[in-house]
Amino acid sequence: MSPALPRRTPFPTRIARLGRVVSHALRALVIVAGRFRNLAYAERAVVNQRWSRGLLKIFGVEVKVRGTAPGVFPANTLLVANHVSWLDIFALNSVTVSRFVAKREILSWPIAGWLVKNAGTLFIDRSKRRDASRINEQLARALENGGCMAVFPESTTSDGTVLLPFKASLFESAILSRGMVQPVALRYLDANGELTTAPAYAGDTSLWTCIANILAEPSMTVELSFGTPLPATAFDSRFALSEAAREQIGAALTRSSDLPGTAERTPEDLRAEAR
């Protein structure tokens, strides 16, 4: 017998949820504009974690952790994960708080751009090949100073049904800082426990459509599968380190029968990874 289709959230409930999201976002504006910048990293991590958990609760998203998380703010650690949604950031921060590397275009987003910038996000211009070197230097410096940073090495989002090839460039920061790389696999499940693409922010999906899709789900679970930490000193290149992280994330995702597998690399992908 086929599993029953999950019910949709009643429209009044969606509106109420949206109102709570707006209120929660305004609270973030007040926090970041006020005392946040004067807090120590550990204090910022606590604030960030609480706010992220609050946002997920409003959206009806439960976090399920597999494996061993490295802690709230592990020093000199580069978190690497597959990328499905803007919600990934808050799912990761609800367990292990990091500063993220994001595409430069986010700076132009109203409110959100200002928020993430002042929360310590680093921005990369993907249209400029040499910009990765600048970001690597900043990442390495942050890691050496005891920071926990996070990147999405697919460099784009997918719908969550396939793992895209990794770009190895930002793994150089872990090599430079002699840090630890922590692979994390994310996947979203609906109320029936089936893989769902509702939170996917990929392709032509707009931010508003993505938010509406999430609001329409009565509940979801995001699974965070933490792999075995990889000491950068054990690898002779960023390419080997990138491949080891991708293998762990791919293995965690393909343990679910819902996920077909990982995307094969094309010659174009290999050239992109070399950047």
Side-chain angles (χ1 to χ4, degrees), residues 48-192:
N48 204 329
Q49 186 177 62
R50 288 176 178 171
W51 192 91
S52 296
R53 288 178 174 177
L55 181 68
L56 294 174
K57 185 176 181 180
I58 292 171
F59 278 122
V61 178
E62 179 185 359
V63 179
K64 184 174 183 179
V65 175
R66 296 184 181 276
T68 303
V72 177
F73 196 75
N76 201 355
T77 297
L78 183 69
L79 243 65
V80 297
N82 60 304
H83 200 10
V84 179
S85 173
W86 56 271
L87 210 55
D88 299 347
I89 293 172
F90 307 107
L92 289 169
N93 275 346
S94 73
V95 178
T96 298
V97 179
S98 306
R99 291 171 59 197
F100 286 80
V101 174
K103 60 183 181 180
R104 190 171 181 82
E105 289 80 356
I106 291 178
L107 277 171
S108 64
W109 291 6
I111 301 177
W114 183 87
L115 267 177
V116 295
K117 177 184 177 181
N118 286 278
T121 299
L122 301 180
F123 296 95
I124 185 169
D125 188 346
R126 289 291 182 186
S127 67
K128 296 180 180 178
R129 183 173 179 176
R130 294 183 179 179
D131 205 41
S133 296
R134 177 185 64 85
I135 291 296
N136 268 320
E137 291 177 4
Q138 293 185 21
L139 274 174
R141 194 178 308 119
L143 291 169
E144 288 172 341
N145 290 335
C148 179
M149 309 299 292
V151 299
F152 297 112
E154 291 170 294
S155 296
T156 187
T157 50
S158 74
D159 65 1
T161 64
V162 68
L163 180 63
L164 301 174
F166 280 8
K167 289 181 172 60
S169 57
L170 296 184
F171 284 84
E172 185 68 22
S173 63
I175 301 282
L176 293 171
S177 68
R178 303 174 67 83
M180 192 72 70
V181 170
Q182 174 64 67
V184 190
L186 296 97
R187 71 184 191 120
Y188 293 86
L189 307 176
D190 64 18
N192 286 338

